[in-house]
């Protein structure tokens, strides 16, 4: 069983490839309905947790899923985490380990993949150049093949995680600020003369936070469900979605 969440597609690509190599069942947690958080594993079935790193932490939707997760028979099942990030992951896996421990679960191994950058919500952050994007994808593909072999073999104690230089400061201090103040849909707006009303932003949003009333221009629910993953921004074919002034003249990216 592989539980995964993906915003702009990096983690979805990794989770799908991993599921194909391991023949494990893939579950998109954004589509899990209320009351369906209890699972019974088959004998010897692995438990995988795949997620993108948001502010050097697991995404809120993933943490909330873990808090409600019930595995009836977690004993003697190999458990691992695989996260994706544009650069470093800080203590994101340690935070996940604490969340899992609170519900009686554990991790045997953990892995991180450096993927093309998609977070553009701060003035100094932008997508990677095409050359850098290609390099990251090629290395990630090679790393993932190696990780798949370790996971298939249920290798315990394999911790290949790019924590970065200041993991605790990034995850606990900056990550806390990110969670409190930067995960919001309030700055999103539409440049009217660019929008063609195609609805791709609505389809791209993994949490159903974007609306297209009467087939006109998109609007956001402003109800606290937004993850600031920027899937709506990146999938817009006419670059009509902006995040205040922070995304002006910035690039777009989603895995394809």
């Amino acid at each position: 069983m592989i539980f995964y969440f993906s915003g702009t597609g990096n983690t979805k690509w990794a989770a799908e490839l991993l599921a194909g190599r391991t023949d494990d069942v893939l579950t998109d947690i954004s589509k899990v309905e209320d009351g369906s958080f209890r699972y019974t594993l088959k004998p010897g079935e692995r438990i995988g947790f795949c997620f993108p790193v948001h502010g050097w932490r697991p995404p809120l939707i993933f943490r909330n899923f873990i808090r409600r997760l019930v595995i009836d028979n977690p004993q003697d099942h190999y458990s691992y985490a695989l996260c994706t990030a544009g650069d470093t992951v800080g203590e994101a896996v340690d935070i996940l380990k604490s969340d899992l421990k609170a519900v009686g679960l554990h991790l045997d191994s953990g892995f991180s993949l450096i993927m093309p950058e998609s977070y553009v919500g701060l003035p100094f952050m932008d997508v990677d150049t095409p050359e850098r994007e290609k390099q990251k994808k090629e290395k990630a593909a090679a790393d993932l093949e190696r990780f798949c072999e370790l996971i298939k073999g249920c290798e315990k104690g394999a911790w290949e995680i790019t924590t970065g230089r200041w993991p605790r400061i990034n995850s606990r201090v900056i990550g806390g600020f990110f969670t409190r103040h930067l995960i919001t849909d309030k700055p999103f707006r539409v440049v009217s003369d660019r929008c063609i009303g195609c609805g791709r932003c609505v389809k791209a949003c993994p949490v159903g936070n974007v609306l297209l009333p009467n087939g006109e221009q998109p609007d956001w629910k402003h109800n606290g469900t937004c993850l600031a993953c920027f899937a709506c921004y990146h999938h817009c074919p006419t670059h009509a979605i902006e995040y205040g002034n922070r995304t002006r003249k910035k690039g777009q990216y989603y895995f394809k």
Side-chain angles (χ1 to χ4, degrees):
M1 179 72 71
I2 300 174
F3 299 106
Y4 85 96
F5 169 77
S6 187
T8 52
N10 285 335
T11 305
K12 182 180 180 182
W13 163 77
E16 288 181 341
L17 192 150
L18 180 56
R21 296 288 189 273
T22 60
D23 200 28
D24 287 332
V25 176
L26 198 59
T27 299
D28 180 352
I29 67 146
S30 70
K31 293 179 171 54
V32 173
E33 298 179 357
D34 287 344
S36 302
F37 294 82
R38 180 182 290 270
Y39 299 85
T40 300
L41 302 175
K42 299 175 184 177
E45 186 174 1
R46 292 171 286 262
I47 315 172
F49 301 96
C50 299
F51 60 93
V53 173
H54 289 182
W56 293 281
R57 296 182 175 195
L60 287 176
I61 188 175
F62 206 83
R63 300 190 70 187
N64 288 334
F65 172 81
I66 296 299
R67 292 182 182 113
R68 302 174 67 181
L69 178 63
V70 177
I71 303 290
D72 288 323
N73 54 338
Q75 301 81 8
D76 301 321
H77 288 274
Y78 178 73
S79 179
Y80 65 92
L82 187 147
C83 59
T84 64
D87 45 35
T88 60
V89 307
E91 294 187 349
V93 174
D94 288 333
I95 292 171
L96 177 69
K97 286 169 69 175
S98 296
D99 290 345
L100 291 172
K101 184 177 180 181
V103 295
L105 300 173
H106 70 284
L107 284 183
D108 292 305
S109 294
F111 311 93
S112 67
L113 287 174
I114 303 304
M115 297 289 293
E117 183 63 71
S118 63
Y119 186 74
V120 291
L122 290 172
F124 53 87
M125 300 190 73
D126 200 350
V127 300
D128 293 310
T129 64
E131 294 78 11
R132 181 62 175 147
E133 178 183 321
K134 182 174 181 290
Q135 291 171 359
K136 282 186 172 182
K137 283 183 175 179
E138 289 175 350
K139 186 175 188 309
D143 287 343
L144 186 54
E145 289 292 346
R146 185 163 48 83
F147 296 162
C148 285
E149 292 304 310
L150 294 172
I151 291 166
K152 282 173 63 177
C154 298
E155 186 74 26
K156 294 185 178 181
W159 301 100
E160 298 200 31
I161 302 168
T162 308
T163 57
R165 189 173 181 183
W166 300 292
R168 179 157 289 270
I169 291 174
N170 287 339
S171 291
R172 310 293 176 168
V173 180
I174 301 175
F177 177 86
F178 180 90
T179 300
R180 289 190 300 271
H181 302 290
L182 298 180
I183 300 180
T184 176
D185 57 7
K186 291 181 180 178
F188 280 117
R189 61 185 178 83
V190 179
V191 182
S192 298
D193 59 358
R194 293 186 205 158
C195 180
I196 58 175
C198 64
R200 291 189 190 179
C201 51
V202 177
K203 295 178 182 177
C205 180
V207 293
N209 184 58
V210 187
L211 304 171
L212 198 66
N214 302 318
E216 297 175 358
Q217 295 188 348
D219 194 11
W220 288 259
K221 291 183 178 179
H222 306 305
N223 63 358
T225 57
C226 180
L227 299 171
C229 71
F230 288 86
C232 58
Y233 163 88
H234 289 297
H235 280 81
C236 179
T238 59
H239 216 314
I241 294 175
E242 296 283 10
Y243 198 66
N245 294 323
R246 303 177 211 176
T247 52
R248 233 175 239 177
K249 297 183 180 180
K250 289 188 178 180
Q252 294 172 290
Y253 167 82
Y254 60 91
F255 192 93
K256 50 187 181 293

